Amino acid sequence: MWESESESAAVGQQYGGGVLTSTKHGVKTEGFVQRGHSWYVATDIPSDFLVQIGESSFHLHKYPLLSRSGKLNRIIYESRDPDINKIVMDDIPGGPEAFELAAKFCYGIAVDLTAGNISGLRCAAEYLEMTEDLEEGNLIFKTEAFLSYVVLSSWRDSIVVLKSCEKLSPWAENLQIVRRCSESIAWKACANPKGIRWSYTGRTAKISSPRWNSMSMKDSSPSRNQQVPPDWWFEDVSILRIDHFVRVVTAIKVKGMRFELIGASIMHYATKWLPGLINDTALQNDEASSCSISNSSSNTSGNSWKGGLHMVVAAPRDDASSSLQAKDHRLIIESLISIIPPQKDSVTCSFLLRLLRMANMLKVAPALVTELEKRVGMQFEQATLADLLIPCYNKSETMYDVDLVQRLLEHFLVQEQTETSSPGRQSFSDKHMGSSNLNAKARVARLVDSYLTEVSRDRNLSLTKFQVLAEALPESARTCDDGLYRAIDSYLKAHPTLSEHERKRLCRVMDCQKLSIDACLHAAQNERLPLRVVVQVLFSEQVKISNALASSSLKGDDESLNHPMVVNRKTLLEGTPQSFQEGWSTAKKDINTLKFELESVKAKYLELQNDMETLQKQFDKMMLKQKHTSAWSSGWKKLTKFTKTTNVENHDVPPHQLPTASEEHNRKTTRRWRNSIS
């Protein structure tokens, strides 16, 4: 794949083209002969040593093995039985295949080193302690040289070796094979792609090659003159086991790869190994590539990887396989969560929500689930309704996990508040940041209203959960409450047994003044709404129409002062959807009646208010007079009357003005009472 592979090929020729031979031959042989599970040396000298590895047995000779293996030396010479002729080594890394190659090397038989067998042979050499102390140019030295100078300089060989290390733990880890291959892959993935030789990445290679998507390149094997897509390395890296994939991605992060590409590679890996994240069509498209991966791994490493998740899915599912599949999926999800880049748009919100759905289903660690929820909250405005409809996997009675959406919304609001209060972000662009935050909140408000409309059909959804989720967003987030009204109407339809108090409580989350003309027309005919809410809706509709007509009349000329009233009303009705116009003619009389009653109530209220003000003034005057009136003031008033009466007697008065007998009697009585007072 790389231009430097020509140099690595030259280096490989120095090592005999990848063919190992031993300089010393203790026993002349033409090779090994296999009979069933037993291996025999093709020589005239009878074997005197048996090595048992699982079901395979090797009938060999002591001298070639002891001269090059320190472990066999120690086992034989330190044993109490000097004539020991059988050893069981079931724990040798690489199994019978690696020991067969090591035994051939001891006999001086040529061994072909490939990327598929080098890791197992290197670990087996370490296990057998085939060091330079026993023989110069022993197996450890030669396998290590082949790894360092041939394998690590090739992209394809590094991938194959890392794939073959899956069954060699912990030997491959301790010998730094995994680390060196991961760093080699990371260096090549981050390097200039102009050095790629496309002939090595075609589908004729032993391992799966990159599947070029339609956005980058349609041709699966482009020529060297064509531009290299940035995701050329995704498919090769995605065949690795999850722990090795994490090592590679971590090394790529250290090398400085863009976080968008790292996130895209993580999504590519997840869709490959987690079939629940993709639809059936995409899964069928990946079946061919997964089969080629399985075949290539079996050809290169000697046997297929039993941990392959596609193999588990294809097999008949019983309890054991289902638990194994769930365990593998849980490990993959936990690992992917831990390596997602911290940047906001490194992965899509849809991918995070689908990952969150599987995490809740498979009971992933709560700390990782919380971290994933925070990541969703960072880009919650990008979510869709289909991704939010996450089933409730616990023992809750509700169909969907409403509490989860509530937590996601809280994380979103906290993130928005943090971005708004951050001094660095404010100094960048206050107006742009403020408008973007409002747009994000508006999108989230529409999303929450759609979610409430969907989950309100669940009869087990409590009124408190509905109200808390509806009121979680600030009032400024919604410029129009039509979506919220639709959700409330759906909830009332699914819960017909709500009391009048509960209906009023539910409708409090909606602002009637934020309803459009369409929603007002529908609400005026909605029998499920409380009567008080209907009156509020009608009043708000009347105010809106009046304001609209007033503004239009101010803009028009004198000749069309009366005409806009009819035209605007007609325009408003014509702009309403068909669903809102149905039944309007039958309910028009009721609406007019309610309007008339509302105006009558207003007039009576104003009349009673005026009467009350008049009575209040009269009452205040009376109280003021009572405060200033006393016994002496009343006495002086009577004395004044008496003086006037005396003046009348002393002057000529016409007969019709003279006091009557009763008045005279009263006057005398008054004088006597006055004399008694004095």
Side-chain angles (χ1 to χ4, degrees):
M1 177 180 295
W2 300 83
E3 296 294 344
S4 59
E5 287 189 1
S6 59
E7 301 177 0
S8 64
V11 175
Q13 292 177 0
Q14 297 178 3
Y15 291 91
V19 178
L20 284 184
T21 55
S22 179
T23 56
K24 298 181 180 179
H25 308 286
V27 177
K28 293 182 180 182
T29 178
E30 296 179 356
F32 282 19
V33 179
Q34 184 179 10
R35 299 172 185 173
H37 294 287
S38 301
W39 292 85
Y40 298 90
V41 182
T43 180
D44 297 335
I45 304 175
S47 61
D48 57 353
F49 193 68
L50 176 63
V51 178
Q52 187 74 32
I53 302 175
E55 297 181 355
S56 301
S57 57
F58 295 85
H59 300 268
L60 308 173
H61 302 83
K62 286 185 178 180
Y63 176 73
L65 299 178
L66 299 182
S67 62
R68 293 170 180 83
S69 174
K71 184 178 183 64
L72 294 177
N73 263 297
R74 189 174 63 257
I75 291 176
I76 292 176
Y77 288 108
E78 291 180 0
S79 63
R80 297 180 180 180
D81 186 7
D83 297 331
I84 184 173
N85 56 7
K86 181 180 179 180
I87 294 179
V88 178
M89 293 190 302
D90 293 334
D91 56 344
I92 184 172
E97 296 82 5
F99 181 79
E100 175 194 353
L101 297 177
K104 288 181 178 180
F105 174 79
C106 293
Y107 278 90
I109 302 174
V111 177
D112 293 333
L113 294 182
T114 63
N117 61 22
I118 186 61
S119 57
L121 187 58
R122 173 66 182 89
C123 295
E126 189 72 22
Y127 176 86
L128 295 173
E129 301 176 10
M130 303 176 72
T131 62
E132 295 294 298
D133 296 338
L134 299 176
E135 180 185 357
E136 185 177 357
N138 210 345
L139 189 56
I140 290 179
F141 172 79
K142 292 193 174 183
T143 53
E144 187 66 29
F146 187 83
L147 270 173
S148 301
Y149 294 101
V150 178
V151 171
L152 297 181
S153 61
S154 170
W155 167 269
R156 181 191 62 184
D157 292 344
S158 299
I159 293 287
V160 174
V161 170
L162 191 56
K163 180 69 179 175
S164 65
C165 290
E166 294 173 355
K167 290 187 175 182
L168 298 175
S169 298
W171 288 91
E173 288 283 352
N174 297 336
L175 295 176
Q176 304 297 320
I177 299 177
V178 174
R179 181 189 62 80
R180 288 183 289 174
C181 289
S182 300
E183 292 182 354
S184 173
I185 295 170
W187 181 84
K188 293 175 175 61
C190 297
N192 190 349
K194 291 183 179 180
I196 299 176
R197 295 175 59 184
W198 290 105
S199 59
Y200 285 103
T201 59
R203 292 194 179 273
T204 56
K206 292 184 179 180
I207 61 174
S208 178
S209 61
R211 186 174 64 251
W212 315 110
N213 52 36
S214 58
M215 296 179 60
S216 57
M217 297 294 291
K218 295 183 179 180
D219 187 6
S220 60
S221 298
S223 63
R224 297 186 59 178
N225 296 328
Q226 292 177 339
Q227 185 179 2
V228 179
D231 59 349
W232 63 267
W233 51 276
F234 286 4
E235 186 68 23
D236 286 346
V237 174
S238 66
I239 71 170
L240 300 174
R241 201 173 63 184
I242 182 61
D243 53 341
H244 294 163
F245 176 77
V246 170
R247 295 287 294 270
V248 171
V249 171
T250 304
I252 289 177
K253 281 184 181 180
V254 175
K255 301 295 181 183
M257 175 72 74
R258 300 199 314 269
F259 66 88
E260 298 93 344
L261 284 177
I262 296 177
S265 66
I266 292 174
M267 290 190 291
H268 183 85
Y269 187 91
T271 54
K272 191 179 189 66
W273 295 105
L274 298 174
L277 288 176
I278 53 179
N279 52 23
D280 296 336
T281 304
L283 184 59
Q284 292 174 1
N285 293 335
D286 283 346
E287 286 179 356
S289 60
S290 63
C291 294
S292 63
I293 292 172
S294 304
N295 296 333
S296 63
S297 61
S298 63
N299 294 332
T300 55
S301 60
N303 40 27
S304 61
W305 176 38
K306 295 181 181 179
L309 298 181
H310 285 286
M311 300 296 293
V312 176
V313 173
R317 295 186 179 181
D318 52 4
D319 294 338
S321 62
S322 299
S323 61
L324 177 62
Q325 178 187 5
K327 184 178 179 181
D328 292 338
H329 285 185
R330 188 184 305 113
L331 177 61
I332 291 176
I333 292 174
E334 292 177 350
S335 302
L336 293 181
I337 294 174
S338 62
I339 62 174
I340 295 177
Q343 287 79 3
K344 181 177 180 179
D345 295 325
S346 57
V347 294
T348 62
C349 186
S350 178
F351 169 75
L352 292 175
L353 285 170
R354 285 180 289 171
L355 202 63
L356 182 60
R357 179 199 298 262
M358 293 196 69
N360 289 334
M361 181 178 63
L362 297 174
K363 309 296 182 183
V364 174
L368 293 175
V369 173
T370 303
E371 181 65 23
L372 190 57
E373 291 176 357
K374 292 180 180 179
R375 291 301 309 272
V376 175
M378 291 174 59
Q379 46 198 103
F380 192 53
E381 69 276 7
Q382 303 173 5
T384 60
L385 177 61
D387 295 328
L388 279 184
L389 296 176
I390 300 176
C392 193
Y393 295 105
N394 53 22
K395 296 181 180 180
S396 177
E397 296 180 353
T398 57
M399 182 183 301
Y400 297 107
D401 199 343
V402 182
D403 296 333
L404 173 61
V405 178
Q406 175 71 25
R407 292 195 300 270
L408 297 179
L409 186 56
E410 291 175 356
H411 291 311
F412 168 76
L413 295 175
V414 170
Q415 180 67 24
E416 288 292 320
Q417 185 177 4
T418 303
E419 291 181 356
T420 304
S421 60
S422 176
R425 294 180 179 269
Q426 288 182 353
S427 61
F428 176 72
S429 177
D430 295 341
K431 295 183 180 180
H432 178 71
M433 184 60 64
S435 61
S436 63
N437 289 340
L438 291 177
N439 293 334
K441 288 182 180 179
R443 288 194 295 270
V444 171
R446 290 193 294 268
L447 178 64
V448 171
D449 293 345
S450 301
Y451 180 79
L452 286 173
T453 304
E454 188 68 27
V455 301
S456 62
R457 300 184 179 94
D458 186 5
R459 295 188 177 182
N460 294 324
L461 179 64
S462 64
L463 177 60
T464 302
K465 285 188 176 182
F466 184 95
Q467 186 177 5
V468 169
L469 184 57
E471 295 178 344
L473 285 169
E475 295 182 358
S476 59
R478 293 185 178 92
T479 57
C480 180
D481 279 7
D482 286 6
L484 196 56
Y485 166 70
R486 190 181 300 107
I488 291 174
D489 183 51
S490 178
Y491 190 87
L492 290 174
K493 188 183 298 183
H495 300 78
T497 59
L498 290 178
S499 63
E500 187 69 16
H501 174 71
E502 290 175 337
R503 292 172 185 267
K504 292 180 180 179
R505 175 185 165 191
L506 176 64
C507 294
R508 284 196 200 103
V509 303
M510 175 184 61
D511 188 359
C512 296
Q513 296 180 359
K514 290 185 178 181
L515 294 179
S516 64
I517 299 296
D518 305 339
C520 289
L521 293 176
H522 185 276
Q525 310 169 54
N526 195 343
E527 298 179 355
R528 291 181 290 271
L529 295 177
L531 180 60
R532 183 176 180 181
V533 177
V534 175
V535 174
Q536 291 177 355
V537 169
L538 290 174
F539 180 72
S540 63
E541 180 191 8
Q542 184 180 8
V543 171
K544 289 178 183 178
I545 295 176
S546 300
N547 294 335
L549 295 177
S551 61
S552 62
S553 62
L554 290 176
K555 294 180 181 179
D557 53 6
D558 296 336
E559 296 179 356
S560 59
L561 288 177
N562 298 325
H563 184 64
M565 297 179 65
V566 180
V567 175
N568 289 332
R569 181 63 176 175
K570 184 179 180 181
T571 304
L572 290 173
L573 292 177
E574 289 178 353
T576 58
Q578 186 66 26
S579 60
F580 289 131
Q581 293 184 14
E582 293 178 356
W584 167 250
S585 58
T586 58
K588 187 176 181 179
K589 184 178 179 180
D590 297 337
I591 294 174
N592 292 331
T593 303
L594 290 174
K595 288 182 180 179
F596 178 75
E597 292 178 356
L598 181 61
E599 294 296 334
S600 300
V601 170
K602 281 185 177 181
K604 290 181 181 179
Y605 174 75
L606 293 176
E607 184 179 356
L608 291 174
Q609 189 175 10
N610 293 331
D611 294 342
M612 183 178 178
E613 291 179 356
T614 304
L615 292 174
Q616 185 67 30
K617 290 180 181 179
Q618 293 178 359
F619 180 76
D620 292 341
K621 288 181 180 180
M622 293 176 61
M623 293 299 296
L624 184 62
K625 289 180 180 180
Q626 287 182 359
K627 290 181 180 179
H628 293 284
T629 303
S630 62
W632 295 102
S633 61
S634 61
W636 282 109
K637 288 181 180 179
K638 292 179 180 180
L639 183 60
T640 304
K641 289 181 179 180
F642 176 75
T643 305
K644 290 181 179 180
T645 306
T646 306
N647 292 333
V648 170
E649 292 177 354
N650 295 334
H651 296 81
D652 295 334
V653 180
H656 64 275
Q657 294 182 0
L658 292 176
T660 60
S662 60
E663 291 177 352
E664 183 67 22
H665 177 73
N666 292 335
R667 182 179 60 79
K668 292 180 181 180
T669 305
T670 304
R671 289 180 62 187
R672 288 196 300 268
W673 177 78
R674 178 61 184 169
N675 292 336
S676 65
I677 290 296
S678 58

